[in-house]
Amino acid sequence: MALLFDKVALITGASRGVGYAAAKKLCEKFPGATIYLTTKNMEITPAINQNMRDDFAGSAEHCEYLHLDVTNTDNIAEIQELIKTRHETLDILINNAGTFLKPDISSPEVYGQQATAIIGTNYWGLKNVMNGLHDI
């Protein structure tokens, strides 16, 4: 287990739920690891990082929120460059970002837009992140 103490991890969709819990557990188990929690919907402020550090107690010294929209390849490239500049490599990727929309069957157009949004995040977003970060 000590081999993971100096590793770098990125968790997509980590603002709540499973992604947040995974980040918290990684911080607890490997306090020397750098953990990047990503979120699309939350504004990244010093306060949000401080709230996360307070919640993670003493194990969040190397944890930080980053903005990441998995459907935006330019944003993924920015994250890749940040990690490459700071650490040279990414050791752990937890690709957790996803979306769910209650089906709106009021019209085929609306339903199609929802399906496109879901597939864009849950399938293509996952592939975008893997393709954008595979070099590090």
Side-chain angles (χ1 to χ4, degrees):
M1 293 282 207
L3 297 175
L4 295 176
F5 275 62
D6 63 346
K7 300 300 181 188
V8 178
L10 178 89
I11 304 170
T12 67
S15 61
R16 61 188 173 161
V18 172
Y20 190 80
K24 189 172 185 178
K25 188 56 75 175
L26 279 175
C27 287
E28 288 171 4
K29 295 289 184 185
F30 310 109
T34 300
I35 313 294
Y36 292 107
L37 296 80
T38 70
T39 179
K40 177 176 93 170
N41 297 324
M42 294 171 58
E43 182 181 350
I44 308 301
T45 64
I48 193 171
N49 275 307
Q50 188 58 51
N51 289 341
M52 175 263 304
R53 288 185 183 103
D54 292 344
D55 188 35
F56 289 12
S59 60
E61 180 182 346
H62 302 284
C63 297
E64 176 183 354
Y65 268 109
L66 300 174
H67 177 266
L68 177 62
D69 179 349
V70 298
T71 65
N72 183 328
T73 55
D74 291 336
N75 189 197
I76 295 167
E78 292 169 4
I79 297 297
Q80 190 255 18
E81 186 60 33
L82 180 141
I83 293 172
K84 192 174 183 179
T85 300
R86 289 183 183 180
H87 310 283
E88 297 182 14
T89 187
L90 177 67
D91 302 298
I92 301 166
L93 171 62
I94 299 176
N95 229 340
N96 177 68
T99 191
F100 171 79
L101 300 170
K102 184 177 179 184
D104 181 344
I105 56 172
S106 63
S107 76
E109 291 80 22
V110 171
Y111 187 76
Q113 290 169 353
Q114 285 184 319
T116 298
I118 291 168
I119 292 169
T121 298
N122 297 357
Y123 177 73
W124 292 112
L126 176 133
K127 291 182 71 85
N128 290 342
V129 171
M130 289 180 0
N131 289 333
L133 300 179
H134 80 277
D135 286 341
I136 58 171

